[in-house]
Amino acid sequence: TTLGFGSNFIGGKYGKENGIYNIIDALKTNTNITKLDLSIAGIDDSFAVALANALKENTTITELKLGSN
């Protein structure tokens, strides 16, 4: 299953406004999503750290796209 947020500018200040951090938290226990597309999503350092921490606990995601951030 693919979860795509590419070209939606969900990172950084946008993520704080629309609750994307709740989705990142959910990735910690995800068992269905195998591909995550965050290309051109406006990811800033704090978003990247939150995502990295979630992915440390995730064993399901095998493909991650982060281009053009």
Side-chain angles (χ1 to χ4, degrees):
T1 303
T2 300
L3 180 60
F5 290 106
S7 299
N8 282 306
F9 298 99
I10 59 164
K13 69 175 184 173
Y14 306 106
K16 294 173 187 162
E17 294 169 359
N18 68 16
I20 191 62
Y21 286 93
N22 295 330
I23 294 173
I24 289 175
D25 285 341
L27 289 175
K28 294 176 184 176
T29 57
N30 160 62
T31 58
N32 295 308
I33 298 166
T34 58
K35 298 176 183 178
L36 182 60
D37 183 0
L38 295 168
S39 307
I40 316 170
I43 294 173
D44 66 2
D45 292 345
S46 64
F47 185 95
V49 169
L51 178 62
N53 288 330
L55 292 178
K56 285 180 187 177
E57 299 179 40
N58 181 293
T59 58
T60 307
I61 294 178
T62 58
E63 183 178 324
L64 176 63
K65 295 182 180 181
L66 295 170
S68 299
N69 278 292

